[in-house]
Amino acid sequence: MNGMSYNQTGGSGTRKGPVFNLLSSLINRADIVCLQQTNLLEQELKQVENELEGTKVFGNCKEIRHAGVALVIKNTVLDFYEAGETYVSKTEKGEGRILSIPFFPKEKYRSNYSSFRITGVYLTSGSGASALADRGSQLREIAMIPKDTDFDFLGGDFNFENEKITGGLKEAYEEMLNQRGLEECHQANNTFFAKNDLDIKKTRIDRWYTN
């Protein structure tokens, strides 16, 4: 969703309209939408919420226009649920990259509805040693988020292919899955495409996990 920012730092500023139209389309088709690389600042999240009628927007932003994750949820869901304590990472490696929100049924619906937690992530990109270390730190932080709901959902841009990782990053990844009791949701298609000369690189770096 890069280009969502209301005050873009470069270019003609024309991307916001198409990106916002896409977001509106997504929220019309889904009850909850998770976004990564929003480049939104704190005050801009409220502007998004005002423009997306009938929604509540949660986010984790940085003071600079870098990274950013957000969750948009319809008020029709919040008619039945209330949000618990939001985990907004403030660590050096996690700020703007990890957002986790538990939702609990309102009192009169507790006998029929289950609680759930949604964690949205945008891990550091890059192939260098520093980026690998950052992703390891972010995975270990995700592992420590409270487990206090019936269902646990984790999704976003992980910026690595889980079949190819080794060493410390693999250990952090497997530890996070084991600690949270998560399994990857099957996806038949790749989620990232990049053209390099005559070749097109295809990878599956955007994933969903659940218990």
Side-chain angles (χ1 to χ4, degrees):
M1 296 301 293
N2 190 4
M4 184 69 188
S5 178
Y6 277 68
N7 301 296
Q8 290 174 258
T9 55
S12 63
T14 58
R15 290 191 66 189
K16 175 179 171 273
V19 170
F20 195 86
N21 289 339
L22 174 60
L23 177 55
S24 299
S25 175
L26 290 172
I27 201 63
N28 283 335
R29 290 180 282 151
D31 291 321
I32 301 172
V33 174
C34 296
L35 308 173
Q36 302 87 41
Q37 201 175 355
T38 61
N39 285 333
L40 292 171
L41 298 181
E42 191 74 33
Q43 63 270 23
E44 295 174 329
L45 290 173
K46 191 63 180 177
Q47 291 177 277
V48 174
E49 185 176 289
N50 290 338
E51 292 195 31
L52 288 174
E53 186 176 351
T55 67
K56 173 71 175 175
V57 178
F58 302 85
N60 185 354
C61 313
K62 296 198 74 169
E63 290 303 316
I64 57 175
R65 296 198 177 282
H66 177 69
V69 288
L71 184 147
V72 184
I73 183 167
K74 284 182 178 177
N75 289 339
T76 50
V77 177
L78 297 178
D79 288 341
F80 299 91
Y81 284 88
E82 53 191 4
E85 184 175 355
T86 301
Y87 181 89
V88 179
S89 177
K90 295 299 182 184
T91 67
E92 180 184 357
K93 305 302 182 183
E95 187 175 11
R97 296 187 177 275
I98 301 172
L99 173 70
S100 185
I101 310 169
F103 293 92
F104 301 97
K106 293 182 178 179
E107 186 173 359
K108 63 180 179 179
Y109 301 114
R110 288 175 187 167
S111 60
N112 296 317
Y113 289 78
S114 300
S115 59
F116 64 94
R117 175 182 285 275
I118 296 184
T119 302
V121 302
Y122 172 48
L123 303 193
T124 301
S125 60
S127 57
S130 177
L132 293 174
D134 285 358
R135 288 198 288 271
S137 296
Q138 291 153 3
L139 289 168
R140 286 187 286 272
E141 182 174 352
I142 293 166
M144 300 305 295
I145 292 172
K147 289 180 59 180
D148 50 5
T149 58
D150 300 311
F151 294 99
D152 196 3
F153 300 98
L154 167 66
D157 186 348
F158 290 82
N159 272 312
F160 64 82
E161 298 176 76
N162 52 6
E163 302 91 348
K164 298 182 179 180
I165 55 174
T166 59
L169 181 59
K170 182 177 181 180
E171 291 178 7
Y173 171 66
E174 292 178 346
E175 178 186 349
M176 182 275 293
L177 293 182
N178 290 334
Q179 197 155 326
R180 301 204 67 81
L182 297 176
E183 294 184 1
E184 183 182 353
C185 300
H186 173 70
Q187 293 180 135
N189 300 318
N190 292 309
T191 63
F192 175 81
F193 301 86
K195 187 175 181 180
N196 182 15
D197 294 328
L198 298 178
D199 186 34
I200 297 179
K201 180 182 179 182
K202 305 175 184 179
T203 61
R204 189 169 48 82
I205 57 176
D206 308 279
R207 298 187 291 275
W208 275 101
Y209 299 83
T210 185
N211 62 342

